[in-house]
Amino acid sequence: MSSVSTPTDGRPLVRLENLRKRFGPLEVLKGINLDVMPGEVIVLFGRSGSGKSTLLRCINFLEDPTSGVVEVDGIRLAGGHRTHGKREMIRKLRMRTGMVFQDFALFPHMSALDNVIEGIVTVKGIRRDVAEPTGRHLLDQVGLQDKYDEYPIRLSGGQKQRVAIARALAMNPKVMLFDEPTSALDPELIGEVLAVMKGLATEMQMTMVVVTHEMGFAREVSHRMCFIHDGEIVEEGPPSRILNDPQDARTKRFLEAVL
């Protein structure tokens, strides 16, 4: 059973309305509708190629939705042609979202501290001497207080991913998006990253949308799980029901294979 209480009041922080995405003739997302409440943790799961990562990337317009609407913290954008005015709205939307990738995406020529503060220095225009205490605090928060000056090549995969989480948090996002954050890690390193994510959910009440196959994390931390199959959400609900009593045969088959 999830260890976090489910947010129920207020307006959704993230709203997706009939979201579709095509790559040429291939329709990858087929009309996704999803609301995410403030403080809610949503786990997206499903087979490789089902559209999970594309959905995540459409939320912050790393991929342009073909049609439909994305709303994050009151910033509302329709998919389709990108105009100059829309580019500015996308910038504002991205300021409200933090993204953590499966391959870390750190700058190899920068120290851990420099990676963390790069965004707030270059995007928000905060002076480096002002930004550094924030960067150190965030690295402390993810358990890397002795790694400020280390470069990515000298960090383990789990440490790199924790730097990436600290970097995303530095922008003070309203919602964190995690795209299979443990899939590139050795098994013994997965736990340290999941522990940081659990802390974000339970201690900071961070709104999170997580693509993962870590069902233990989903059971313990998520409020809702959404099974995505062939570009559609075919089943969603609390982890206690989804994991113990899935209603859709496709969800059941998938869980039998991974549990």
Side-chain angles (χ1 to χ4, degrees):
M1 184 175 180
S2 175
S3 63
V4 286
S5 58
T6 303
T8 56
D9 298 328
R11 178 181 175 83
L13 182 63
V14 178
R15 169 165 281 174
L16 309 179
E17 299 175 9
N18 197 28
L19 202 66
R20 296 179 180 271
K21 176 62 181 178
R22 285 185 174 275
F23 293 100
L26 179 65
E27 190 172 32
V28 178
L29 299 178
K30 301 176 180 177
I32 298 287
N33 293 286
L34 181 67
D35 285 350
V36 184
M37 302 303 293
E40 192 172 21
V41 178
I42 303 290
V43 162
L44 309 177
F45 70 111
R47 288 181 172 82
S48 179
S50 59
K52 309 180 302 296
S53 293
T54 299
L55 174 57
L56 210 63
R57 293 170 66 87
C58 282
I59 292 175
N60 68 352
F61 278 75
L62 286 176
E63 295 287 354
D64 270 319
T66 303
S67 62
V69 173
V70 175
E71 183 175 337
V72 177
D73 191 34
I75 303 295
R76 187 173 173 86
L77 280 169
H81 182 63
R82 186 177 289 197
T83 63
H84 177 74
K86 187 174 178 180
R87 284 194 291 272
E88 175 59 19
M89 293 292 283
I90 290 172
R91 188 189 71 80
K92 291 180 179 179
L93 183 146
R94 287 179 178 162
M95 295 279 283
R96 290 158 167 79
T97 61
M99 184 88 174
V100 178
F101 303 91
Q102 57 183 305
D103 62 354
F104 324 128
L106 299 180
F107 295 111
H109 62 290
M110 291 184 179
S111 68
L113 179 60
D114 286 342
N115 265 282
V116 170
I117 67 173
E118 174 67 11
I120 54 178
V121 170
T122 60
V123 177
K124 291 191 172 183
I126 296 174
R127 293 202 323 267
R128 180 184 174 85
D129 62 319
V130 176
E132 281 188 357
T134 298
R136 292 192 187 97
H137 170 74
L138 289 168
L139 286 169
D140 293 350
Q141 189 176 329
V142 299
L144 294 175
Q145 54 268 36
D146 57 342
K147 302 294 183 183
Y148 299 158
D149 298 321
E150 295 287 3
Y151 286 80
I153 196 171
R154 293 178 55 84
L155 300 174
S156 70
Q159 290 168 338
K160 290 176 187 175
Q161 196 59 293
R162 285 185 281 156
V163 172
I165 292 171
R167 178 181 60 184
L169 290 172
M171 299 298 288
N172 196 26
K174 297 289 188 177
V175 57
M176 288 281 284
L177 310 176
F178 292 87
D179 188 7
E180 300 196 48
T182 61
S183 65
L185 302 180
D186 293 333
E188 67 269 21
L189 302 177
I190 290 173
E192 63 188 55
V193 173
L194 293 179
V196 170
M197 293 170 63
K198 180 180 176 182
L200 294 179
T202 59
E203 296 166 23
M204 295 179 60
Q205 284 80 52
M206 175 64 71
T207 308
M208 296 161 58
V209 183
V210 185
V211 173
T212 187
H213 291 153
E214 297 292 338
M215 294 297 107
F217 171 85
R219 184 187 298 276
E220 187 176 2
V221 178
S222 73
H223 300 97
R224 245 188 313 153
M225 298 179 67
C226 300
F227 180 63
I228 299 182
H229 178 80
D230 196 21
E232 299 178 286
I233 297 176
V234 299
E235 184 167 4
E236 66 177 284
S240 56
R241 186 188 66 73
I242 293 291
L243 294 173
N244 298 324
D245 187 27
Q247 301 300 299
D248 191 282
R250 294 164 292 186
T251 313
K252 189 174 297 186
R253 284 195 299 270
F254 179 84
L255 289 173
E256 285 173 350
V258 300
L259 291 177

